Amino acid sequence: MSNIPKIVILGAGYGGVLTALRLQKELNYNEADVTLVNKHDYHYITTHLHMPAAGTDNPENARVSISKLIDEFKIDFVKSTVVQIRPQDKKVILEDGTLSYDYLVIGVGGEPETFGIPGMLEHAMNIRSINSVRLIREHIEYQFARFKREPHRTDYLTFVVGGAGFTGIEFVGELSDRIPELCKQFDVDPSIVRLYNIEAAPTALPGFDPELVEYAMNVLSKKGVTFKIGTAIKECTADGVIVGEGEEIRSQTVIWTGGIRGNRLIEEAGFETMRGRVKVDEHLRAPGHENIYIVGDNSLIINPEGRPYPPTAQIAMQQGVLCAHNLVASIRNQPLKGFEFKNKGTVASLGKGEAIGIAFGKKYKGRFAAWLKKAIDLRYLFIIGGIPLVFRKGKFL
Amino acid sequence: MSNIPKIVILGAGYGGVLTALRLQKELNYNEADVTLVNKHDYHYITTHLHMPAAGTDNPENARVSISKLIDEFKIDFVKSTVVQIRPQDKKVILEDGTLSYDYLVIGVGGEPETFGIPGMLEHAMNIRSINSVRLIREHIEYQFARFKREPHRTDYLTFVVGGAGFTGIEFVGELSDRIPELCKQFDVDPSIVRLYNIEAAPTALPGFDPELVEYAMNVLSKKGVTFKIGTAIKECTADGVIVGEGEEIRSQTVIWTGGIRGNRLIEEAGFETMRGRVKVDEHLRAPGHENIYIVGDNSLIINPEGRPYPPTAQIAMQQGVLCAHNLVASIRNQPLKGFEFKNKGTVASLGKGEAIGIAFGKKYKGRFAAWLKKAIDLRYLFIIGGIPLVFRKGKFL
């Protein structure tokens, strides 16, 4: 039995990976035992998933093997699924074992928030993981093949994207690029295909700069996207969606990007939550648990305007860095630091060669914004994997 | 109004295309009006469809644009679907029009023969056209994607091929090559995948050389195919098939290759049929109809041993050549020739680099047989499209 503290990190998303990478760098030899637990043996680049979902890129380019990221001499890796978190016992129950911890980092990621829309959980697909985007891609291609055998079924070629936030907008941008390719591949008249983007809020990309939102909607409308903004989806069925005042859009493909809530594991563990997320203290710890940090989609942080920060890769990465710092400080009995989000800007892709964004206090659109998006993706690869990863995956971005 | 005879060819399969190509060559200027009618604006190479169905080749390599085959100064092409043949009126009703004829060539192709197996028509897919093999390919890929989201559903990864004739054997050969690729692409343990080939007759490839059949079954078994020979499919359901004495094989993918019968258009036109096929006279004409020729899957010819020749590309091509000759002879009031099938041999592919065959009175197996198969395919491309087509499509074979 070693006496050194045991740190367990649950989840190898943006928050978990950054925590692990920084611990690996900052901890001295034998200062702590670090174990990273993840469902898959790879990390996926969530901000890139809209491309393999639409089929404009290979899913391989949206994931990185964990063994390529962490140094397994310094950090243990366990490929397993978390079944239960037991703060009272300082234990985590895995699908195939149990882990004890002194410090826990919860970075297990969120779940789709369907706001209770009937049928959404059962009938819609989500852009959430490598496996989920493979399903979306294959599902879409399959609908083209089915249509060729049953040409009266135009619902096979009607695609509904629920939610016009960043994921929804980036996905319809890619899908509107892919549809003409699929039409060519399957000899389909492009005028038969319908692509809807439906958003209940009064605007697409709520909270984003209105001028850029207008630009984005113009670009996407020209590419064939039909927007229904300020229109709620009332129900999702096996045959499509019911929107607004009862209008039915018949579709075999509904992709829900409308929201993220906390993971059910968090509530089940007994933490106090809001929409499944825990309002962490300034050091990113769960209230009442000095040894439990929560990063990413499951942590709730209120911004200076009094609203929660949206769950993004950017904030999760910054949380991971601070979380690692505070863990090391705790072990060394040094003072902890408080979290302060530094907004480095946001860029949303609208498909090939088109994007909108705000960075360095300026607005960008078109080709330069698209280049900026690539630069941000490359920067991320550099942060997590250094130059080799940039060369291996970067050429595909 | 011209006084020259009007020849209408229905269907641009092997029989119809060869008839058209030979008429184009043999007819003098203004000797006859020839119109070719086909559902698609392309001819497909049926003997190559097992590859795009499994996904080991692109469907584009199994089709040729009709405008690349026929000289549209000599032959009119109408892209339409035949709705009804009216011998009494010398008319053909198309989906979008009507054609009159003096001579008719029926080469519309057959339909799957399901021998009355309940559910087979509704639930199984067939290797019959570009659109049908696109569906099979996308369907199979989709099952892998679905499995990753519902890993308890092993029926998603159970593939059932009904019929171990040429099409069935060639298809399982390709699919057993493709499965390891799909497993890699979707991170699936190959031991989960099941590929069944089920045949009611007491042997695979009934009527073929037993030594070669045994060789084929060994090759395919080693590639992971589970044969159930002498086992009838009793029923096909939405959940799989019931075989033999009530054993259920749960599968979301059933491909039926068990047989071909005549097209319903033939019976509906009032011809006397056996399994939907017309026993043509020695000149390939429908009995009682001096001006109607039937080639390909819808014609029935009895071989010297008293059994019907199986419907193959080879016999359809030879029929097309003779049909064109007899049409020209009729117009010129010259004597007609009788049909005599010349068996040039048969080669069945078993996937990459493996095949079995009989040609020039000898048996072949392994790499040489696979090369022979390619040579036959190239020869066909040469016959229908000359050297340019061999270069355009041949490199993919």
Side-chain angles (χ1 to χ4, degrees):
Chain A
M1 290 285 285
S2 88
N3 260 337
I4 62 172
K6 196 160 166 44
I7 302 172
V8 171
I9 304 168
L10 303 181
Y14 290 92
V17 159
L18 263 288
T19 305
L21 286 173
R22 295 303 283 241
L23 284 178
Q24 178 175 299
K25 199 176 163 193
E26 293 182 19
L27 283 172
N28 294 324
Y29 177 71
N30 255 353
E31 206 173 2
D33 246 9
V34 184
T35 303
L36 174 65
V37 179
N38 197 51
K39 198 171 171 179
H40 310 288
D41 56 8
Y42 53 83
H43 160 76
Y44 49 78
I45 302 163
T46 311
T47 58
H48 195 65
L49 288 177
H50 57 285
M51 292 187 71
T56 50
D57 195 10
N58 191 315
E60 290 308 312
N61 297 328
R63 67 174 176 179
V64 186
S65 167
I66 286 171
S67 65
K68 295 245 160 68
L69 293 179
I70 65 163
D71 179 347
E72 292 191 51
F73 283 99
K74 295 185 176 168
I75 292 182
D76 290 333
F77 173 65
V78 174
K79 179 176 175 282
S80 190
T81 300
V82 180
V83 174
Q84 199 190 8
I85 300 166
R86 290 197 188 172
Q88 65 282 17
D89 304 326
K90 291 189 179 179
K91 273 188 198 308
V92 176
I93 313 301
L94 306 179
E95 211 172 48
D96 40 17
T98 303
L99 283 176
S100 306
Y101 61 81
D102 297 304
Y103 295 94
L104 183 67
V105 180
I106 302 178
V108 289
E111 288 178 4
E113 169 63 89
T114 60
F115 305 106
I117 301 171
M120 194 58 89
L121 224 47
E122 296 81 355
H123 300 294
M125 293 177 285
N126 304 105
I127 300 173
R128 287 297 296 160
S129 64
I130 294 290
N131 287 333
S132 73
V133 302
R134 278 170 171 156
L135 184 70
I136 292 171
R137 178 195 181 133
E138 294 299 339
H139 180 93
I140 291 170
E141 293 179 1
Y142 188 50
Q143 303 316 306
F144 276 82
R146 290 171 86 192
F147 173 78
K148 290 301 288 186
R149 299 287 287 163
E150 296 167 77
H152 60 288
R153 293 290 301 269
T154 50
D155 59 325
Y156 288 156
L157 295 187
T158 300
F159 303 100
V160 173
V161 177
F166 274 88
T167 308
I169 287 289
E170 291 198 308
F171 178 64
V172 296
E174 292 304 314
L175 191 53
S176 59
D177 281 350
R178 183 93 202 286
I179 284 170
E181 288 173 17
L182 288 168
C183 285
K184 213 176 151 199
Q185 187 184 331
F186 287 92
D187 306 322
V188 165
D189 174 357
S191 72
I192 300 165
V193 184
R194 294 277 173 276
L195 172 52
Y196 289 98
N197 192 357
I198 303 174
E199 169 63 54
T203 170
L205 298 169
F208 208 63
D209 179 86
E211 185 198 328
L212 294 178
V213 172
E214 200 193 323
Y215 178 83
M217 288 184 68
N218 275 334
V219 166
L220 295 173
S221 297
K222 276 186 200 136
K223 291 213 257 180
V225 180
T226 304
F227 284 100
K228 286 186 173 279
I229 304 297
T231 306
I233 297 180
K234 295 282 164 62
E235 192 181 346
C236 181
T237 70
D239 299 321
V241 290
I242 314 290
V243 299
E245 302 310 312
E247 183 197 350
E248 182 182 19
I249 299 175
R250 294 183 73 85
S251 165
Q252 288 294 309
T253 311
V254 180
I255 321 262
W256 177 247
T257 70
I260 296 293
R261 53 162 283 134
N263 200 299
R264 72 194 72 183
L265 288 168
I266 307 296
E267 275 168 3
E268 287 167 7
F271 295 107
E272 197 179 309
T273 60
M274 287 171 64
R275 281 205 186 286
R277 299 158 78 193
V278 177
K279 200 174 158 201
V280 292
D281 70 15
E282 60 164 338
H283 307 301
L284 304 178
R285 296 178 301 188
H289 297 271
E290 284 206 346
N291 62 335
I292 300 183
Y293 289 79
I294 303 184
V295 295
D297 292 351
N298 294 302
S299 78
L300 183 69
I301 297 176
I302 303 296
N303 71 15
E305 290 97 61
R307 288 199 304 272
Y309 283 112
T312 62
Q314 192 181 167
I315 197 168
M317 287 167 68
Q318 293 182 20
Q319 289 173 335
V321 171
L322 185 82
C323 171
H325 176 276
N326 284 348
L327 284 165
V328 174
S330 287
I331 290 168
R332 294 180 187 161
N333 285 316
Q334 292 167 352
L336 307 189
K337 273 196 203 163
F339 181 74
E340 207 175 314
F341 177 56
K342 286 183 194 69
N343 190 341
K344 306 229 170 121
T346 310
V347 185
S349 151
L350 307 172
K352 199 164 167 57
E354 275 289 359
I356 51 170
I358 292 183
F360 319 111
K362 279 192 186 159
K363 300 180 193 179
Y364 300 96
K365 54 197 178 198
R367 295 220 155 261
F368 180 74
W371 177 87
L372 208 59
K373 172 88 183 170
K374 282 191 191 177
I376 291 167
D377 287 350
L378 287 175
R379 184 176 164 275
Y380 175 65
L381 291 177
F382 179 73
I383 290 170
I384 63 170
I387 291 289
L389 192 60
V390 171
F391 274 86
R392 212 164 54 244
K393 303 271 173 183
K395 65 174 178 282
F396 302 108
L397 292 177
Chain B
M1 288 284 284
S2 89
N3 260 337
I4 61 171
K6 196 161 168 42
I7 302 173
V8 171
I9 304 169
L10 303 180
Y14 291 93
V17 159
L18 264 287
T19 305
L21 287 173
R22 296 303 283 241
L23 284 179
Q24 178 175 298
K25 198 176 164 194
E26 293 182 20
L27 282 172
N28 296 322
Y29 177 69
N30 255 354
E31 206 175 1
D33 246 9
V34 184
T35 303
L36 174 64
V37 179
N38 197 51
K39 199 173 172 176
H40 310 288
D41 56 9
Y42 53 84
H43 159 77
Y44 50 78
I45 303 164
T46 311
T47 59
H48 195 66
L49 288 177
H50 57 284
M51 292 185 72
T56 50
D57 195 9
N58 190 316
E60 290 307 314
N61 297 328
R63 67 173 174 179
V64 186
S65 167
I66 285 170
S67 65
K68 295 245 161 68
L69 294 179
I70 66 162
D71 179 347
E72 292 192 52
F73 284 99
K74 295 184 176 169
I75 292 181
D76 291 332
F77 173 64
V78 174
K79 177 173 176 282
S80 189
T81 300
V82 180
V83 174
Q84 198 192 7
I85 300 166
R86 290 198 187 170
Q88 65 281 18
D89 304 325
K90 293 192 180 177
K91 273 187 198 309
V92 176
I93 314 300
L94 306 180
E95 212 170 46
D96 40 17
T98 304
L99 283 176
S100 306
Y101 62 79
D102 297 304
Y103 295 95
L104 183 67
V105 179
I106 302 178
V108 289
E111 288 177 4
E113 170 63 90
T114 60
F115 304 106
I117 300 170
M120 195 57 91
L121 225 46
E122 296 81 354
H123 300 295
M125 291 176 287
N126 304 105
I127 300 173
R128 287 294 296 159
S129 64
I130 294 291
N131 287 332
S132 73
V133 301
R134 278 171 172 156
L135 185 70
I136 293 171
R137 179 197 181 133
E138 294 299 339
H139 180 93
I140 290 170
E141 293 178 3
Y142 188 50
Q143 304 316 305
F144 276 81
R146 290 171 87 192
F147 172 77
K148 290 301 288 186
R149 299 286 287 164
E150 297 165 77
H152 61 287
R153 292 290 301 269
T154 51
D155 59 326
Y156 289 155
L157 297 187
T158 301
F159 303 99
V160 173
V161 177
F166 274 87
T167 308
I169 286 290
E170 292 198 307
F171 178 63
V172 297
E174 292 303 315
L175 192 53
S176 59
D177 281 351
R178 183 89 202 286
I179 284 169
E181 287 173 18
L182 287 168
C183 287
K184 213 174 151 203
Q185 186 184 333
F186 287 91
D187 305 321
V188 164
D189 174 358
S191 72
I192 299 165
V193 184
R194 294 278 174 275
L195 173 52
Y196 291 97
N197 191 358
I198 304 174
E199 170 64 53
T203 168
L205 296 170
F208 209 63
D209 179 86
E211 185 197 328
L212 293 180
V213 173
E214 199 193 326
Y215 178 84
M217 286 183 70
N218 275 335
V219 167
L220 295 174
S221 298
K222 275 186 199 137
K223 291 212 256 182
V225 180
T226 305
F227 283 100
K228 287 188 170 278
I229 305 295
T231 305
I233 297 181
K234 296 282 165 61
E235 193 182 345
C236 181
T237 70
D239 299 321
V241 291
I242 314 292
V243 299
E245 303 309 312
E247 182 197 349
E248 183 183 19
I249 300 175
R250 295 183 72 85
S251 165
Q252 287 294 308
T253 311
V254 180
I255 313 227
W256 177 247
T257 70
I260 296 293
R261 53 162 282 133
N263 199 299
R264 73 193 71 184
L265 288 168
I266 308 294
E267 277 168 0
E268 288 168 5
F271 295 108
E272 198 180 307
T273 60
M274 287 172 64
R275 280 207 188 284
R277 299 158 78 195
V278 176
K279 200 174 158 205
V280 291
D281 69 15
E282 59 165 339
H283 307 302
L284 303 178
R285 297 177 302 186
H289 298 271
E290 284 206 344
N291 62 336
I292 300 183
Y293 289 79
I294 303 184
V295 295
D297 292 353
N298 294 301
S299 78
L300 183 70
I301 296 176
I302 303 297
N303 71 14
E305 289 98 62
R307 287 200 306 273
Y309 283 114
T312 62
Q314 191 180 169
I315 196 167
M317 287 167 68
Q318 293 181 19
Q319 288 174 333
V321 171
L322 186 83
C323 173
H325 177 275
N326 284 349
L327 283 166
V328 174
S330 287
I331 290 167
R332 296 179 186 162
N333 285 313
Q334 291 167 352
L336 306 189
K337 273 196 202 163
F339 182 74
E340 209 175 312
F341 178 56
K342 288 183 192 70
N343 191 342
K344 306 232 170 117
T346 309
V347 185
S349 151
L350 308 172
K352 200 168 166 54
E354 275 289 359
I356 52 170
I358 292 183
F360 319 110
K362 279 192 183 158
K363 299 180 194 180
Y364 300 97
K365 54 195 179 201
R367 295 217 156 261
F368 180 75
W371 178 87
L372 209 58
K373 171 88 184 170
K374 280 190 191 178
I376 292 168
D377 287 350
L378 287 175
R379 184 176 165 273
Y380 175 65
L381 290 178
F382 179 72
I383 290 170
I384 62 167
I387 291 290
L389 193 60
V390 171
F391 274 86
R392 213 165 53 243
K393 303 272 171 181
K395 62 175 182 284
F396 302 108
L397 293 176

